[in-house]
Amino acid sequence: AVHEGHVVSAQELTMLLQPLFTQNSRNLVLFMQDRLSIDDFTYLSESYGNENPFQNEILQSSPSSLVLPAVDCKAIMDLLSILQESGDWKLTNITNLNVSHLEVNASNPNLLVVQLPPLSSGLKEISTLEAIAENDKVIGRVTMDLQERGIHFSVIYTAVRPSRISKRTGVVAKLRRQLMAAQEEDSLSYPPLNVTTGNSTCILFYASNFTLKANRSVLIDLTNATFSTQSVDISASECSDSNTTLSLKYTKPVNGISSLEIRFLMTNKFYEVSARKWSTLYAVEIVQDGNKFAKFSVSAISAPAEYSFHCQLVGTSNLYPVRLVPSDNEAKNWDVFISRLQIQGFNIINNQFSYASDCTGFFTPGIWMSLVTSIILLWILTYGIHMIMQLTTNNRFDDPKGPALSVPQTE
């Protein structure tokens, strides 16, 4: 039993998982999702008028189960390492979500890691309810196949980060536009990716969702590999006072692609008009398998050299505030979606993001609508006051004892 509000630490999680390491059938299936919270099981249930996406009866049919409402994100990031260190597991990563052709030797301990599709890729319209329902079907297919083959196993269903984060109002009011500069400690999310030269950090990069789509069909979610497990190779990144290149290299991100490299090219120049230096992210390059090169030009990503840059949505869609425009034919085969992007390639102090220059201007559509509405209402009020001021009253009145009052038409 875990009391309300308690967050399970990495040490406590290791102790709670000890029965998995001592039982006879040491076959473990780890289902890893991008985000999930215990509240999702209630909010997305039938009690809220939804069609319950959790249809699997594996939890109810299991002879024993354990539900942890809140686990420290750092413990989840180290979960795979904890499991591997606990015994001599045969690690198998399942990417095609099909285990019918998977060979499992039940005499030896097996650890099957299933990376579930992300709940929100941003590249197609699908609700969280539908995405969780699809992931639930994947869990059902995998577990049913193992059961039909007579393999005894245990299941862990978790996520890299929570989907529902409660923040203290005082902290939110204090953050304002500071974003990751102060939000990192309170968001319970993963830290930003940092590139160091010597003892100093020269590049900071963060995104809540980092997804690509190749040839309009192959979805590549790089969020976990970049920020959670940090299995990405950043050794080719370069830093200088005038030019910075963030190089992200991935090995076999999906079936059919052996290697993938993504480069973010930034420059730092002095502009006489503003009498200061500005950092600009001017291009993004994608290199597939070492020979397919795609280049995108970037619009509207610049900030004072001392600042970081933040934007809620960055990608190839025309609807995003910052768009990646294809510069060659190969780039037209790629779709890019980055949410909550924050990047800084110059003047990093104390390994933290500086004040963020946001891509959203101060005059948003809502502010413009309010201003126009206020001007119209002010004009109506002014016209009404002007009309009232034109009203006149009688300056002569009829006397019943005297002759009748005659008022000329000119008056």
Side-chain angles (χ1 to χ4, degrees):
V2 181
H3 63 268
E4 183 179 0
H6 177 69
V7 179
V8 177
S9 63
Q11 183 178 3
E12 292 173 326
L13 182 62
T14 304
M15 295 177 59
L16 292 171
L17 295 180
Q18 284 300 320
L20 296 177
F21 312 143
T22 56
Q23 60 185 357
N24 295 329
S25 58
R26 295 179 59 192
N27 296 308
L28 181 61
V29 185
L30 174 62
F31 292 100
M32 186 68 73
Q33 200 164 271
D34 61 336
R35 53 186 176 88
L36 183 71
S37 293
I38 193 68
D39 295 340
D40 293 333
F41 292 88
T42 303
Y43 181 75
L44 299 176
S45 64
E46 297 176 353
S47 59
Y48 278 79
N50 300 316
E51 183 179 354
N52 190 2
F54 304 100
Q55 299 293 334
N56 280 323
E57 299 295 333
I58 185 171
L59 188 64
Q60 288 75 14
S61 61
S62 175
S64 63
S65 61
L66 174 66
V67 178
L68 302 176
V71 181
D72 187 9
C73 285
K74 294 182 179 178
I76 297 298
M77 294 178 188
D78 299 334
L79 177 59
L80 190 58
S81 300
I82 294 174
L83 296 176
Q84 289 179 304
E85 294 173 357
S86 63
D88 187 17
W89 300 89
K90 179 185 177 183
L91 178 63
T92 304
N93 290 296
I94 302 176
T95 56
N96 58 2
L97 306 180
N98 185 7
V99 295
S100 58
H101 303 290
L102 181 66
E103 296 182 1
V104 179
N105 186 2
S107 60
N108 296 323
N110 296 279
L111 175 57
L112 308 179
V113 180
V114 182
Q115 291 286 349
L116 297 173
L119 298 186
S120 57
S121 65
L123 301 177
K124 58 181 179 179
E125 292 296 332
I126 182 171
S127 64
T128 302
L129 184 68
E130 295 172 345
I132 290 183
E134 290 298 323
N135 287 351
D136 187 72
K137 293 178 182 178
V138 171
I139 296 174
R141 288 198 302 267
V142 174
T143 55
M144 185 63 67
D145 185 88
L146 294 176
Q147 288 177 347
E148 291 176 352
R149 297 163 65 176
I151 299 175
H152 298 280
F153 59 92
S154 300
V155 172
I156 296 179
Y157 179 34
T158 185
V160 178
R161 59 187 184 276
S163 59
R164 302 174 184 275
I165 303 173
S166 60
K167 300 178 181 178
R168 300 187 300 272
T169 55
V171 175
V172 176
K174 182 180 178 181
L175 293 180
R176 295 183 182 176
R177 291 166 61 93
Q178 295 291 334
L179 301 171
M180 282 295 297
Q183 193 175 4
E184 180 181 338
E185 298 178 358
D186 300 286
S187 64
L188 299 179
S189 185
Y190 39 72
L193 179 70
N194 64 80
V195 178
T196 59
T197 55
N199 296 326
S200 60
T201 300
C202 63
I203 303 176
L204 285 175
F205 175 65
Y206 176 86
S208 63
N209 196 347
F210 186 21
T211 309
L212 308 179
K213 180 179 279 190
N215 299 320
R216 308 291 180 179
S217 58
V218 182
L219 186 65
I220 309 173
D221 187 1
L222 303 175
T223 310
N224 295 338
T226 306
F227 304 103
S228 300
T229 60
Q230 292 196 356
S231 57
V232 60
D233 181 12
I234 57 176
S235 59
S237 300
E238 300 177 354
C239 298
S240 69
D241 294 336
S242 58
N243 292 282
T244 296
T245 301
L246 172 61
S247 174
L248 307 175
K249 292 183 179 180
Y250 306 88
T251 303
K252 292 183 179 179
V254 292
N255 291 335
I257 298 179
S258 60
S259 66
L260 186 67
E261 182 181 5
I262 303 173
R263 304 173 189 152
F264 294 85
L265 308 178
M266 293 173 282
T267 183
N268 187 22
K269 294 182 179 180
F270 180 82
Y271 292 88
E272 296 181 355
V273 176
S274 59
R276 68 182 307 169
K277 287 187 176 182
W278 288 75
S279 61
T280 304
L281 175 62
Y282 63 92
V284 175
E285 299 175 348
I286 300 177
V287 182
Q288 177 187 344
D289 299 330
N291 53 14
K292 295 182 179 180
F293 179 82
K295 185 174 182 179
F296 300 86
S297 59
V298 186
S299 62
I301 290 191
S302 61
E306 300 82 9
Y307 291 1
S308 64
F309 181 85
H310 173 269
C311 195
Q312 192 68 22
L313 291 173
V314 177
T316 51
S317 174
N318 294 327
L319 303 177
Y320 296 160
V322 173
R323 184 172 178 242
L324 303 182
V325 183
S327 299
D328 51 30
N329 293 329
E330 186 64 30
K332 297 178 181 178
N333 298 326
W334 290 91
D335 288 322
V336 182
F337 171 76
I338 308 175
S339 63
R340 289 185 59 195
L341 167 72
Q342 188 165 2
I343 189 170
Q344 185 173 356
F346 306 95
N347 303 313
I348 298 175
I349 301 175
N350 297 328
N351 298 330
Q352 292 183 347
F353 279 114
S354 302
Y355 181 89
S357 175
D358 202 277
C359 62
T360 302
F362 289 98
F363 285 93
T364 62
I367 294 177
W368 279 116
M369 291 179 62
S370 301
L371 288 175
V372 172
T373 304
S374 300
I375 292 173
I376 294 175
L377 293 177
L378 183 61
W379 180 84
I380 294 175
L381 177 62
T382 304
Y383 179 77
I385 294 175
H386 176 73
M387 295 299 295
I388 292 176
M389 293 177 64
Q390 299 301 316
L391 295 177
T392 58
T393 59
N394 295 336
N395 55 3
R396 288 179 292 175
F397 299 92
D398 216 359
D399 186 1
K401 297 182 179 180
L405 181 64
S406 178
V407 180
Q409 292 295 329
T410 58
E411 298 184 14

